[in-house]
Amino acid sequence: MARKKPIKKTHTSRKKKNKKNNGKKGNKAGLESLMLKRIHAYLKAHADQSFSAKKLTTEANLWSEISNQKLKSYLDKLADQGKIAYLGRGQYKYQTPKEFKPASGILEVTRSGVGFLLVEDGEDIFIGPNSMGKALHGDMVKVKLIRSRRKNGRQEGEVLEVIQRSRLEFVGTIEEAVKGSYFMLPDDRRVKTDFYIPEASLKDAKPGQKVLAKMVNWERRSPEAEVITVLGDAGEHGTEMHAILLQYGFNPNFPAVVEAEAAAIPEKIPAKEIKARRDMREVLTFTIDPTDAKDFDDAISFQVLGNGLIEVGVHIADVSHYVKPGTELDKEAFHRATSVYLVDRTVPMLPEKLSNGVCSLRPHEDKLTYSAVFQMDDDAKIHDYWIGRTVTHSDHRFDYDGAQAVLEGTAEGPYKEEVLKVNELAQKLREKRMGQGSIHFESNEVKFELDEEDKPIRVIKKEMKDANFLIEDFMLLANRTVASHIFNLKENPPLPSVYRIHDQPDGEKLLSLQQFVKAFGHEVDLLVKGDTSGRLNDLLHKVQNKPEKNVVETLAIRTMAKAVYSTKNIGHFGLGFPFYTHFTSPIRRYPDLMVHRLITAYHNQVYRENPVVLEEQCKHCSDRERTAAEAERASIKYKQVEFMEDKIGQAFPGIISGVIESGIFVELEDNYCEGMVPVHSLDDDYYVFDEATYSLKGKDTGAVLQLGDRVRVAIDSIDLVRRTIDMTYLEKLAPEPVS
């Protein structure tokens, strides 16, 4: 049988078919364009109203030819184009072109990969992982507002352009993708891209090594970078600590010109300077600091006055005498803004000549100080105070353990009676503070005991004892007294100053906490105006001996705003102070140095401080403080992971410290190390994240894993480079009895 010849498709037949298809596409595009114009015109004619798709269908009577779903897609398209506004919860409204303004601000990316445009006044704008373009965490960006696709109706945006990079240098590990093709994986898990490194730009770096690299362009899918410095092999202690410092922008070395200025500062105090100050060298003075401290910012003096009152002085290193505005020393101190305390090292704000030498209130040495001196009675009631420049002499250096032994009566020690009396006054100050609304949260800070090779051999929880509180209470007294003193120097308006402010808790978070604790039988109204701190303290007191203690304390902390520096005083909610500043640590905090300078200027009747400049400086110091805290946490996390490296397969009890869609975080009870149980490893059920109850819930069994639950987990794997601990969930445990 002869085979049939295939039909030859001519150019003409293809042309006819394409013409037919193009006609269909054209008709479809024309219909869409027509409908978009009609919807836009209708909303413009009713600009004072908002509409849902359903309302438009019933009221406008214009859209019978399209489905409700299609109408909604048209509305979304108009909203994405900025021609109408999406108001949330399915509502749309006409907006003029002038009303459509791209938002700009700082992009903050979470470790999970989602981002938020930080908005100063209002709710932050959600930026999905696919809407960030070439923006990275911390960049200043311009964002187009689009309709929300999220269940909670949060405003959503899409990055239009990067206005300014927050940084161009990144720390990461070199990896070889294929022969001769290299990438750097950034240590900062909020940076959700790797960096292509051409072989010529490696500078002898090898796969598996940590480097500091600089982004040079972003023309491909991945940004291109070149290696600046090879830090060493990933996973080595020295390499990792150095990498953490560079990742967060802290240089362990000072520029030569700064070191030179510091070296030129004389150690001997001129007699003329002593004569210009209040001489308090004959008054008993002592310091109480950690055992390994080298920079002593503060000291306490004590004497009984002839009028029956007691004089307690809070003496602070007078850094402002040595660090003058405009010097290279001052510029570098401002740039750093804070000292950074990693697990094994300190990177100071000031060179060692100052931080551990001429400014440090070392025992048996005369020192220049700035002081707040209080006259008080036996009930710690303040009768008078004085603030000014002094010269002091520390008679003794206590460490916290030594001072605590004196307070507990287990050691005699020098100046026992004086230390006991100062502690008695501190306790009364604390009692008054707590009665006035100061909120007390227990600290969960840890420290490590390291061996000769810097390997962690023990994890220790830092405990606050009476000796710690003694110093804290008098520092708080000095800080709030200085803040109110400056505020009251002049009225209408008050003189510009630097305040440490702490805003009221977020209302939505308070409501969430209120509803959450109700399930445990705790009726509390946290939203009624007035004495929120008192009601929070009552709640924290009620749960002290209850199984829900952990979760309630954790959620209460999460309602709190972050404390920052500002010229706009709103008080300090957490401490319950209407006025508060930082005055007591100028060796390690730049804002304290700023406050010392302000007091001096204002006492000399110099009122030239620019509040706009001061506010910019406050913001910089707040940003650097937050970054330093992140660096410190990163070093702790690294040591925690290293400590658990030889414990794979072992089981430990712990507390669920966090719950997210992808799993639960567990903090181990014995050593406070934290790891994650991925949700996909929970194979007994299908678990769903419940944001309202901070839990994962099993769909079939109804099992619940909730924030604060006590569980047993096994260590599954360790990743030193990524600083992660993966865990396997074993079982839920009964709450540990609370003493």
Side-chain angles (χ1 to χ4, degrees):
M1 183 175 174
R3 295 176 62 187
K4 292 183 179 179
K5 290 184 180 180
I7 297 173
K8 188 177 180 182
K9 294 182 179 178
T10 64
H11 177 72
T12 306
S13 64
R14 284 199 305 270
K15 194 173 182 181
K16 286 181 179 178
K17 186 173 182 181
N18 287 341
K19 190 174 181 181
K20 185 178 181 182
N21 288 338
N22 287 338
K24 285 183 178 179
K25 289 178 183 176
N27 291 338
K28 187 177 178 182
L31 174 63
E32 180 176 295
S33 176
L34 175 65
M35 296 309 296
L36 290 174
K37 287 178 181 177
R38 290 172 67 186
I39 296 168
H40 186 252
Y42 186 85
L43 292 180
K44 184 176 182 180
H46 300 80
D48 59 335
Q49 300 179 50
S50 63
F51 293 87
S52 65
K54 186 177 180 180
K55 184 179 178 183
L56 273 174
T57 302
T58 55
E59 290 191 14
N61 197 27
L62 294 171
W63 336 110
S64 57
E65 63 266 44
I66 58 173
S67 67
N68 192 64
Q69 185 177 357
K70 192 66 179 175
L71 174 57
K72 191 173 184 307
S73 74
Y74 288 154
L75 287 164
D76 289 339
K77 191 158 192 173
L78 286 169
D80 287 348
Q81 292 171 355
K83 293 181 178 178
I84 65 173
Y86 177 72
L87 307 177
R89 302 187 183 280
Q91 297 291 314
Y92 301 81
K93 188 177 187 296
Y94 174 76
Q95 67 178 1
T96 66
K98 288 184 179 180
E99 291 172 322
F100 177 63
K101 293 180 181 177
S104 60
I106 302 297
L107 175 67
E108 185 170 278
V109 182
T110 67
R111 293 192 175 193
S112 64
V114 303
F116 296 91
L117 185 78
L118 303 184
V119 179
E120 202 163 307
D121 298 314
E123 188 178 36
D124 296 338
I125 298 167
F126 176 84
I127 312 290
N130 298 322
S131 298
M132 292 185 198
K134 294 181 178 180
L136 298 174
H137 171 74
D139 289 348
M140 172 76 74
V141 296
K142 184 182 289 184
V143 166
K144 175 180 72 172
L145 302 182
I146 58 178
R147 57 98 181 179
S148 178
R149 301 173 180 87
R150 297 180 58 74
K151 293 177 183 177
N152 60 9
R154 181 194 285 272
Q155 179 65 64
E156 191 170 349
E158 179 182 324
V159 173
L160 291 175
E161 66 173 293
V162 176
I163 300 171
Q164 185 177 355
R165 294 280 182 199
S166 65
R167 55 177 170 159
L168 292 174
E169 295 181 358
F170 300 85
V171 172
T173 306
I174 296 294
E175 290 199 359
E176 188 173 16
V178 294
K179 186 74 174 172
S181 181
Y182 300 91
F183 289 85
M184 184 193 74
L185 301 181
D187 279 8
D188 191 341
R189 294 171 68 188
R190 298 166 301 183
V191 178
K192 297 298 179 180
T193 182
D194 50 18
F195 292 79
Y196 168 66
I197 312 277
E199 194 167 3
S201 300
L202 278 174
K203 293 195 178 170
D204 297 324
K206 296 176 177 56
Q209 288 190 319
K210 280 268 170 82
V211 299
L212 175 67
K214 182 178 182 179
M215 187 200 305
V216 293
N217 66 62
W218 195 338
E219 296 170 357
R220 307 174 173 219
R221 181 181 174 188
S222 296
E224 183 180 323
E226 61 182 9
V227 173
I228 299 173
T229 309
V230 179
L231 304 178
D233 292 337
E236 288 187 354
H237 171 83
T239 300
E240 295 295 338
M241 292 296 120
H242 192 189
I244 287 169
L245 288 172
L246 294 180
Q247 177 185 335
Y248 291 98
F250 292 98
N251 193 331
N253 302 312
F254 286 88
V257 65
V258 174
E259 290 283 13
E261 281 190 1
I265 293 173
E267 295 193 23
K268 188 176 180 181
I269 303 172
K272 183 180 179 182
E273 186 61 37
I274 292 174
K275 192 173 181 181
R277 294 168 177 257
R278 179 173 172 176
D279 193 340
M280 299 189 70
R281 288 176 292 176
E282 298 303 315
V283 181
L284 170 65
T285 303
F286 55 86
T287 60
I288 305 178
D289 290 281
T291 306
D292 56 355
K294 293 179 182 178
D295 55 336
F296 308 129
D297 270 300
D298 52 78
I300 299 286
S301 69
F302 174 88
Q303 67 175 331
V304 177
L305 302 177
N307 58 3
L309 297 177
I310 300 160
E311 182 186 87
V312 178
V314 177
H315 307 287
I316 310 302
D318 188 3
V319 176
S320 64
H321 174 79
Y322 299 101
V323 180
K324 302 298 184 184
T327 60
E328 295 302 318
L329 194 54
D330 181 55
K331 291 174 187 174
E332 181 68 17
F334 174 70
H335 170 70
R336 293 176 180 239
T338 180
S339 296
V340 189
Y341 298 89
L342 301 192
V343 166
D344 68 328
R345 69 194 69 187
T346 298
V347 177
M349 183 180 79
L350 300 170
E352 190 173 353
K353 169 75 179 285
L354 291 164
S355 60
N356 296 351
V358 294
C359 293
S360 185
L361 307 186
R362 299 183 297 198
H364 315 302
E365 295 181 9
D366 292 351
K367 293 292 178 179
L368 299 181
T369 43
Y370 228 120
S371 304
V373 183
F374 301 92
Q375 291 185 17
M376 55 180 66
D377 58 28
D378 282 332
D379 289 325
K381 180 182 177 183
I382 310 298
H383 288 255
D384 198 7
Y385 72 86
W386 176 88
I387 297 170
R389 282 177 146 161
T390 53
V391 57
T392 53
H393 182 98
S394 175
D395 297 288
H396 187 75
R397 186 217 161 181
F398 289 99
D399 62 21
Y400 282 123
D401 291 339
Q404 188 63 31
V406 171
L407 296 178
E408 292 175 353
T410 58
E412 286 301 311
Y415 314 116
K416 177 181 177 180
E417 296 305 317
E418 292 87 347
V419 172
L420 286 170
K421 186 61 181 179
V422 172
N423 184 56
E424 180 187 319
L425 294 168
Q427 288 177 329
K428 289 176 179 176
L429 286 171
R430 196 178 322 141
E431 188 179 325
K432 290 177 184 177
R433 174 165 60 86
M434 297 306 293
Q436 292 168 356
S438 187
I439 301 172
H440 174 67
F441 291 111
E442 287 187 18
S443 170
N444 282 324
E445 291 184 69
V446 297
K447 61 180 180 178
F448 295 84
E449 185 180 328
L450 306 178
D451 65 15
E452 293 179 356
E453 296 179 349
D454 291 315
K455 294 283 186 184
I457 56 178
R458 196 157 68 100
V459 187
I460 308 157
K461 183 177 179 181
K462 294 180 183 178
E463 286 188 73
M464 288 284 287
K465 296 183 178 180
D466 283 344
N468 303 80
F469 286 122
L470 183 161
I471 293 299
E472 180 182 75
D473 286 314
F474 274 101
M475 297 307 117
L476 291 174
L477 175 63
N479 285 335
R480 67 186 175 97
T481 301
V482 167
S484 61
H485 175 80
I486 294 177
F487 184 85
N488 291 315
L489 282 175
K490 186 174 178 288
E491 295 181 0
N492 299 323
L495 296 170
S497 188
V498 174
Y499 296 97
R500 180 69 168 175
I501 62 170
H502 185 227
D503 206 351
Q504 295 272 338
D506 178 78
E508 286 187 17
K509 291 180 180 178
L510 282 176
L511 178 61
S512 179
L513 174 62
Q514 179 178 307
Q515 292 171 338
F516 182 80
V517 300
K518 194 173 183 179
F520 293 97
H522 301 294
E523 294 285 347
V524 58
D525 189 350
L526 297 173
L527 297 179
V528 68
K529 287 188 177 180
D531 200 26
T532 303
S533 58
R535 287 188 291 278
L536 270 173
N537 267 331
D538 288 343
L539 174 62
L540 294 172
H541 178 72
K542 285 176 183 176
V543 301
Q544 280 308 298
N545 298 311
K546 301 289 179 63
E548 64 270 20
K549 173 180 182 289
N550 290 320
V551 63
V552 173
E553 286 187 345
T554 300
L555 291 181
I557 290 171
R558 291 182 184 180
T559 66
M560 296 291 116
K562 284 184 173 66
V564 294
Y565 298 106
S566 179
T567 58
K568 302 173 181 66
N569 181 52
I570 59 170
H572 196 293
F573 173 80
L575 292 172
F577 295 155
F579 303 99
Y580 190 65
T581 191
H582 274 170
F583 164 80
T584 54
S585 295
I587 290 177
R588 62 184 180 90
R589 293 188 307 224
Y590 196 84
D592 304 55
L593 175 57
M594 293 167 65
V595 169
H596 285 211
R597 289 171 176 167
L598 289 171
I599 298 171
T600 302
Y602 294 158
H603 281 183
N604 292 335
Q605 305 291 305
V606 177
Y607 302 138
R608 289 194 299 269
E609 294 302 328
N610 185 329
V612 175
V613 173
L614 273 183
E615 185 63 27
E616 289 173 354
Q617 292 174 330
C618 285
K619 186 180 184 307
H620 168 76
C621 291
S622 297
D623 291 343
R624 296 303 283 162
E625 175 190 50
R626 184 173 62 253
T627 304
E630 289 174 356
E632 290 161 14
R633 283 195 295 270
S635 79
I636 291 170
K637 185 67 178 177
Y638 175 77
K639 283 300 168 189
Q640 287 177 329
V641 175
E642 190 179 22
F643 179 74
M644 299 302 294
E645 200 172 15
D646 61 352
K647 298 171 179 61
I648 292 175
Q650 295 182 31
F652 298 89
I655 302 293
I656 296 180
S657 54
V659 184
I660 58 177
E661 208 162 356
S662 55
I664 59 173
F665 293 94
V666 177
E667 182 183 89
L668 304 183
E669 290 179 353
D670 296 336
N671 51 46
Y672 313 104
C673 296
E674 187 182 63
M676 185 183 187
V677 177
V679 69
H680 61 74
S681 71
L682 300 170
D683 54 9
D684 63 321
D685 201 347
Y686 179 77
Y687 286 83
V688 178
F689 176 53
D690 186 338
E691 191 174 4
T693 59
Y694 308 94
S695 64
L696 291 178
K697 293 183 177 179
K699 288 191 77 174
D700 298 327
T701 63
V704 177
L705 294 172
Q706 188 174 59
L707 187 72
D709 280 350
R710 191 163 176 258
V711 296
R712 187 180 302 280
V713 293
I715 306 304
D716 185 45
S717 64
I718 297 291
D719 190 330
L720 261 178
V721 176
R722 291 177 61 82
R723 304 173 201 145
T724 57
I725 302 172
D726 279 350
M727 299 173 169
T728 300
Y729 170 72
L730 298 177
E731 61 178 332
K732 188 179 284 193
L733 300 174
E736 192 172 32
V738 183
S739 58

